[in-house]
């Protein structure tokens, strides 16, 4: 079942998604399997052998109307980024009329939040790229872009986790693992977390990789 | 403890280790994966008395050859109507046999089906990722794709002579060409005529068919208005329509989110037999209500459980 809070990108709708997601985690129903938060809607998957659409709808409605306690404080996560191996930095600078250094500073100044995961395991969509460096994606995707690439398109930024094609602009590389290999906490981010980029040198990147 | 060692003397593309999958992680971009035909995989395991999700091998139309280097192990083959051959004999899928040191088993496509399953009376040693051996195709994480020259090690390998022989193949494990689906969640983007076309036209399966999804050929299902929807969650069974009106049914290794409208969602229990249809087969969609979907799913679960327990007891 898909619960929609809007049809266009909108912070209030996204906050409502996070609110219902948290309320559901705190108060699951019998037969609840998993929920998937996205920009403006929440997918709720249930076991059809245990419950049905009317029961799930009633439960979700009760969570929407009941005033649950305020959303817990989002976690702040740090992501290291090296801008010295950045195939598209010059092109982004040219397209935005900035110097490469100004593009880097703009990227570092962003206030990022994890809106959702998608596309591939660990692909966390971070919203919050500053206006000055927002660009449409490239006309054609580039194949075989290495894991750990820091890529931007529009207001979004993400750190890739797999060798994959992308049409986004590659402005740096990160040694910070989103797929952590830690069974207790296999993914760096939860949806709703805040993120901050911290610049490192090429030497520090090579050492941390 | 007895071992069996199998050398992969040939593996076609998309031959992977699978188990019950890793549900519950879609919020991190990770689909459940697991077998394309979950029913046949579970029946192959049941026929050996294994737990339903015991790790086994999913064999694509590319086929597989295994040479037993040491030990011996009893195997069950169930799923698509593939052919299994050793020097001594030739069998169809839905059979149990024992492979001993020195013997080679070759499994190749037969009269029907796209995916068949090899279950083992033993524990297949394979890598785990996030608590499951299931292979996620595009990353290769989990048990992994089999490649020629690789060794498969089975611990606790058993020989079960009393289980050898044919496994009955239920009629519902055969290819299913009529897909029952609930409309939406974005059916509102299509006009009435397009929605009617969706449930009355014949669509043809194409070669663009892998563990992520299956592209269909048929009348274009053009959305009524130009649209840009924010990326949103996708399910196994979502029927996604791209900008040019092409429908794709998403399968075991689906992307977890996407920005194309989903015209309908295919009933989970119809997907297992659907993936046994072959490219160029014709398929049709039938719209049902959510209440009907629940009722059908429950009836199917009862039918499956009854069949599964009979096979397990043999």
């Amino acid at each position: 079942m898909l619960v929609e809070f809007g049809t266009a990108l909108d912070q209030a709708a996204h906050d409502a998604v996070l609110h219902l997601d948290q309320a559901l985690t705190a108060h699951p129903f019998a037969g609840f399997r998993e929920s998937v938060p996205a920009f403006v809607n929440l997918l709720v998957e249930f076991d059809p052998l245990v419950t049905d659409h009317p029961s799930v709808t009633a439960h979700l409605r009760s969570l929407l109307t009941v005033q649950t306690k305020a959303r817990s404080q989002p976690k702040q996560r740090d992501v290291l980024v090296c801008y010295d191996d950045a195939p598209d930095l010059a092109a982004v600078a040219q397209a935005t009329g900035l110097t490469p250094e100004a593009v880097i500073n703009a990227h570092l100044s962003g206030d990022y939040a994890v809106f959702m995961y998608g596309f591939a395991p660990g692909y966390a969509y971070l919203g919050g790229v500053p206006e000055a460096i927002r660009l449409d994606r490239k006309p054609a995707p580039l194949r075989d872009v290495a894991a750990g690439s820091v890529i931007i398109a529009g207001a979004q930024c993400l750190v890739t986790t797999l060798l994959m094609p992308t049409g986004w602009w590659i402005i740096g590389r990160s040694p910070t693992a989103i797929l952590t290999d830690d069974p207790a906490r296999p993914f760096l981010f939860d949806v709703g977390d805040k993120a901050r980029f911290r610049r490192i040198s090429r030497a520090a990147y090579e050492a941390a990789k | 403890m007895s071992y069996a060692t199998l050398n992969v003397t040939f593996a076609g593309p998309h031959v992977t280790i699978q188990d019950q999958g890793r549900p519950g992680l879609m919020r991190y971009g990770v689909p459940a994966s697991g077998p394309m035909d979950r029913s046949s995989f579970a029946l192959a395991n049941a026929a050996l008395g294994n737990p339903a999700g015991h790790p086994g091998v999913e064999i694509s139309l590319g086929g597989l050859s295994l040479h037993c280097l040491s030990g011996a192990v009893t195997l069950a083959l169930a799923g698509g109507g593939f052919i299994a051959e050793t020097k001594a004999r030739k069998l169809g899928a839905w059979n149990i046999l024992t492979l001993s040191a020195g013997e080679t088993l070759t499994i190749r496509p037969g009269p029907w089906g796209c995916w068949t399953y090899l279950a083992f009376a033993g524990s297949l040693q394979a890598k785990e990722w996030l608590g499951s051996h299931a292979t996620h195709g595009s990353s290769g994480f989990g048990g992994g794709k089999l490649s020629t020259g690789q060794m498969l090690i089975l611990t606790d390998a058993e020989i079960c002579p009393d289980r050898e022989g044919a496994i009955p193949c239920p009629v519902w494990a055969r290819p299913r060409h009529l897909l029952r689906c609930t409309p939406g969640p974005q059916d509102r983007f299509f006009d009435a005529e397009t929605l009617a076309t969706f449930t009355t036209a014949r669509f043809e399966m194409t070669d663009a068919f892998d563990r992520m999804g299956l592209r269909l050929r048929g009348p274009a299902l053009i959305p009524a208005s130009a649209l840009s929807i924010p990326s949103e969650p996708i399910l196994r069974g979502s029927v996604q329509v791209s900008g040019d009106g092409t429908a794709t049914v998403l399968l075991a290794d689906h992307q977890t989110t996407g920005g194309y409208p989903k015209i309908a969602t295919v009933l989970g229990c119809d997907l297992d037999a659907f993936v046994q249809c072959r490219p160029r087969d014709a398929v049709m969609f039938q719209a049902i209500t959510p209440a009907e979907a629940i009722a059908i799913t429950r009836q199917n679960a009862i039918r499956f459980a009854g069949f599964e327990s009979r096979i397990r007891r043999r």
Side-chain angles (χ1 to χ4, degrees):
Chain A
M1 182 172 303
L2 189 69
V3 187
E4 297 189 305
F5 292 97
T7 52
L9 288 179
D10 167 49
Q11 189 60 48
H14 187 64
D15 288 343
V17 169
L18 297 182
H19 186 272
L20 180 60
D21 187 40
Q22 286 204 346
L24 187 54
T25 307
H27 307 282
F29 54 86
F32 171 63
R33 278 184 176 156
E34 65 179 302
S35 58
V36 188
F39 290 118
V40 296
N41 42 37
L42 182 74
L43 179 76
V44 179
E45 208 195 353
F46 62 86
D47 182 350
L49 304 186
V50 175
T51 186
D52 57 18
H53 299 81
S55 310
V56 174
T57 305
H59 184 88
L60 295 175
R61 275 192 202 288
S62 75
L63 292 179
L64 285 175
T65 49
V66 166
Q67 199 63 40
T68 51
K69 68 174 162 45
R71 207 151 69 72
S72 58
Q73 205 55 37
K75 297 274 189 312
Q76 179 79 47
R77 310 275 176 200
D78 280 357
V79 179
L80 304 179
V81 55
C82 164
Y83 296 98
D84 300 313
D85 177 11
D88 296 330
L89 191 57
V92 172
Q94 195 175 17
T96 56
L98 299 173
T99 63
E101 201 55 31
V103 171
I104 292 169
N105 287 332
H107 184 248
L108 287 168
S109 74
D111 181 18
Y112 299 91
V114 180
F115 279 84
M116 64 168 209
Y117 278 87
F119 187 61
Y123 271 56
Y125 287 73
L126 304 172
V129 172
E131 200 77 59
I133 56 168
R134 289 185 189 173
L135 293 177
D136 288 341
R137 62 187 64 191
K138 294 187 252 181
L142 185 67
R143 291 171 64 96
D144 293 344
V145 174
S149 296
V150 177
I151 60 179
I152 57 170
Q156 297 184 318
C157 178
L158 69 78
V159 182
T160 67
T161 58
L162 300 172
L163 186 72
M164 280 276 184
T166 183
W168 294 22
W169 304 87
I170 308 161
I171 61 161
R173 309 281 185 196
S174 175
T176 304
I178 313 297
L179 302 176
T180 62
D181 254 347
D182 172 5
R185 187 179 174 77
F187 303 90
L188 177 67
F189 304 114
D190 278 313
V191 173
D193 282 355
K194 296 279 187 192
R196 195 167 44 197
F197 285 95
R198 283 184 29 220
R199 186 177 191 172
I200 57 169
S201 67
R202 181 184 282 270
Y205 169 67
E206 294 296 337
K209 201 161 59 155
Chain B
M1 193 142 101
S2 51
Y3 290 85
T5 313
L6 308 176
N7 180 18
V8 178
T9 49
F10 173 79
H14 309 301
V15 176
T16 57
I17 293 174
Q18 296 295 339
D19 64 8
Q20 75 287 342
R22 55 179 71 74
L25 298 171
M26 285 200 290
R27 62 169 48 239
Y28 298 110
V30 181
S33 298
M36 291 283 277
D37 177 349
R38 295 161 289 193
S39 307
S40 294
F41 179 79
L43 291 178
N45 271 319
L48 293 172
N50 289 337
H54 197 64
V57 175
E58 176 174 273
I59 303 166
S60 69
L61 289 172
L64 177 71
S65 283
L66 298 173
H67 178 71
C68 185
L69 290 174
S70 64
V73 63
T74 297
L75 312 163
L77 192 66
F82 284 43
I83 309 288
E85 248 176 307
T86 62
K87 199 168 182 187
R89 55 202 174 136
K90 182 172 168 180
L91 299 165
W94 302 92
N95 261 299
I96 296 181
L97 68 158
T98 296
L99 195 65
S100 304
E103 290 181 312
T104 300
L105 173 68
T106 298
I107 300 160
R108 56 184 169 80
W112 62 272
C114 282
W115 309 93
T116 207
Y117 295 91
L118 197 53
F120 302 94
S123 297
L124 179 62
Q125 299 306 295
K127 272 191 237 150
E128 272 189 278
W129 180 53
L130 300 173
S132 159
H133 301 87
T135 306
H136 172 262
S138 54
S139 67
F141 292 158
K145 293 175 194 178
L146 298 197
S147 53
T148 303
Q150 181 181 346
M151 257 354 138
L152 296 180
I153 312 286
L154 292 147
T155 57
D156 302 314
E158 283 182 45
I159 301 168
C160 320
D162 51 324
R163 286 196 180 263
E164 284 179 31
I167 312 166
C169 171
V171 65
W172 39 263
R174 310 269 309 187
R176 180 177 180 91
H177 298 91
L178 180 65
L179 301 179
R180 291 166 293 190
C181 58
T182 53
Q186 286 94 31
D187 49 323
R188 64 176 181 276
F189 290 125
F190 300 88
D191 61 27
E193 196 183 333
T194 306
L195 289 173
T197 301
F198 177 64
T199 50
T200 51
R202 291 161 78 88
F203 291 86
E204 190 184 279
M205 314 250 307
T206 68
D207 291 316
F209 179 16
D210 60 20
R211 287 184 45 85
M212 290 183 76
L214 165 75
R215 198 187 306 151
L216 295 170
R217 186 181 296 124
L221 304 168
I222 306 288
S225 55
L227 53 102
S228 158
I229 58 172
S231 257
E232 55 173 58
I234 293 176
L235 280 174
R236 185 173 182 157
S238 292
V239 184
Q240 174 181 281
V241 180
S242 59
D244 65 355
T246 304
T248 298
V249 183
L250 292 155
L251 298 169
D253 287 346
H254 64 90
Q255 295 184 11
T256 56
T257 56
Y260 291 120
K262 272 71 72 184
I263 193 169
T265 309
V266 178
L267 214 56
C269 57
D270 280 2
L271 291 173
D272 290 347
F274 165 58
V275 301
Q276 298 295 1
C277 297
R278 283 185 172 170
R280 280 163 294 286
D281 279 6
V283 294
M284 290 185 73
F285 293 94
Q286 179 192 1
I288 57 170
T289 65
E292 286 169 330
I294 298 271
I296 292 167
T297 301
R298 291 178 180 177
Q299 284 159 12
N300 275 23
I302 291 165
R303 183 179 67 181
F304 179 83
F307 193 86
E308 200 262 9
S309 69
R310 281 202 299 284
I311 284 197
R312 186 173 288 280
R313 275 200 308 270
R314 281 167 75 239

